[in-house]
Amino acid sequence: MANLPTVLVTGASGRTGQIVYKKLKEGSDKFVARGLARTVEGKEKIGGEDDVFIGDIRDVDSISPAIQGIDALVILTSAVPKMKPGFDPTKGGRPEFIFEDGQYPEQVDWIGQKNQIDAAKAAGVKHIVLVGSMGGTNPDHPLNKFGNGNILVWKRKAEQYLADSGTPYTIIRAGGLLDKEGGARELIVGKDDELLQTDTKTVPRADVAEVCIQALLFEESKFKAFDLGSKPEGTSTPTKDFKALFSQVTTRF
């Protein structure tokens, strides 16, 4: 048991983070799982176990207990826009989105991720897996307009910071996230948002979570960044060989 790698997933109470945390727990023959949630409610949501720490990624001191002694880090924290109160769908128009004070992408996706990368590097972590988003090559992407948050701009800045950190990394830029069953599709890797022009630009959350787990197991995933999409269910053979999937990737950023 003693030589199993300890893996921390941050954003563990988020929709994809929960799946990664669960998969780490299920893989107890391969990993010692840890989670980080921002609130007590978040910790309770995933079972309230002792291996789930509570901390605020915007404050590096509050996350250092979770990071001490880990071997790998999976970053799944993200700013989340909220619908502006008072939107009335019966009147037509589009809802407006806002970020809560202190929870803007600059604070969460840039400062918060930078804090995690710095703390992990200082703790001697051997691998950081970061889940980002497709669309970062386009500064005018509609997602950047949400709450004037420039979310993809800040995410990409954090990705670049990780790629420049010297720590082995895997950057997974997920396509549109689907709440569908995992393991039922052929996964597609791409680069530079090319997949956004295709009908393979979406991917189940469960598959993103599985790619995070698999990235921890293969050297072929290290020092690589890629876009991740999938073919529609039932149209091709589901991906099982993750070593081959990572080997297809030639891009470092």
Side-chain angles (χ1 to χ4, degrees):
M1 279 299 290
N3 54 1
L4 290 180
T6 298
V7 182
L8 171 68
V9 55
T10 61
S13 63
R15 286 194 289 169
T16 310
Q18 286 182 46
I19 308 172
V20 173
Y21 174 71
K22 187 164 174 273
K23 284 178 179 285
L24 287 171
K25 299 285 278 185
E26 287 166 356
S28 59
D29 56 330
K30 297 187 189 75
F31 310 109
V32 177
R34 267 191 208 177
L36 178 77
R38 187 161 56 99
T39 61
V40 176
E41 296 79 55
K43 174 172 174 161
E44 294 303 322
K45 193 195 285 185
I46 52 173
E49 300 220 24
D50 290 345
D51 57 25
V52 179
F53 292 70
I54 296 169
D56 185 337
I57 59 168
R58 298 168 305 168
D59 168 16
V60 78
D61 290 339
S62 88
I63 61 171
S64 59
I67 287 177
Q68 285 317 306
I70 64 169
D71 299 286
L73 170 65
V74 182
I75 300 178
L76 267 159
T77 51
S78 180
V80 181
K82 304 253 191 307
M83 201 185 289
K84 199 171 183 176
F87 173 70
D88 182 354
T90 60
K91 293 187 174 149
R94 286 170 175 262
E96 276 186 73
F97 287 90
I98 54 173
F99 291 97
E100 291 179 353
D101 271 354
Q103 296 293 326
Y104 272 80
E106 181 177 359
Q107 292 146 319
V108 178
D109 294 275
W110 166 235
I111 306 290
Q113 292 192 350
K114 179 179 180 294
N115 283 344
Q116 295 176 68
I117 294 161
D118 288 345
K121 190 173 172 179
V125 164
K126 300 180 202 58
H127 192 183
I128 298 176
V129 178
L130 172 65
V131 177
S133 177
M134 274 195 246
T137 60
N138 174 15
D140 297 320
H141 195 286
L143 279 180
N144 286 324
K145 311 244 182 328
F146 273 31
N148 293 324
N150 275 326
I151 189 161
L152 296 180
V153 175
W154 292 114
K155 281 184 184 294
R156 200 159 178 91
K157 193 172 162 81
E159 290 169 7
Q160 186 70 62
Y161 188 79
L162 175 58
D164 293 339
S165 71
T167 300
Y169 63 87
T170 308
I171 296 167
I172 302 164
R173 299 185 182 112
L177 294 168
L178 307 170
D179 290 313
K180 300 242 193 252
E181 188 192 348
R185 294 167 175 242
E186 182 184 345
L187 302 179
I188 309 286
V189 293
K191 63 177 185 353
D192 300 331
D193 291 334
E194 288 164 2
L195 292 180
L196 287 178
Q197 314 311 318
T198 70
D199 57 3
T200 56
K201 61 177 178 276
T202 57
V203 62
R205 286 177 191 281
D207 286 324
V208 176
E210 185 62 29
V211 172
C212 290
I213 299 292
Q214 294 290 337
L216 298 168
L217 298 172
F218 292 104
E219 285 297 316
E220 286 80 2
S221 78
K222 289 180 177 171
F223 298 106
K224 289 183 179 178
F226 53 90
D227 300 342
L228 183 66
S230 66
K231 290 188 179 174
E233 209 171 310
T235 59
S236 53
T237 310
T239 296
K240 296 274 185 280
D241 185 344
F242 288 90
K243 183 175 180 169
L245 187 76
F246 297 131
S247 297
Q248 288 173 36
V249 178
T250 55
T251 41
R252 290 177 69 94
F253 190 78

